[in-house]
Amino acid sequence: MRPPAARDVFRDELAVDDVSWKRGRACALAQAPVQLPYYRDTNPVLAANARHVIAEVTADA
């Protein structure tokens, strides 16, 4: 996930509508909780990314 300011620029450059933006966030949020327990012990980098995605998407809600 990009930092909040970068997300705004990214979204503006793509001209993404609200529904598509929410769908993308939902997709990221749907994948991260599945990745976290799966990779917790085998791939700490992916597990950390999953935690980051969950925190960013829920904080930005």
Side-chain angles (χ1 to χ4, degrees), residues 17-56:
D17 62 86
D18 289 342
V19 172
S20 296
W21 190 254
K22 287 179 183 179
R23 187 179 306 118
R25 289 180 51 189
C27 182
L29 189 56
Q31 292 175 19
V34 175
Q35 292 174 338
L36 183 55
Y38 186 82
Y39 290 115
R40 181 177 295 140
D41 297 325
T42 60
N43 194 327
V45 173
L46 283 179
N49 184 66
R51 284 186 201 92
H52 175 73
V53 168
I54 292 166
E56 289 294 313

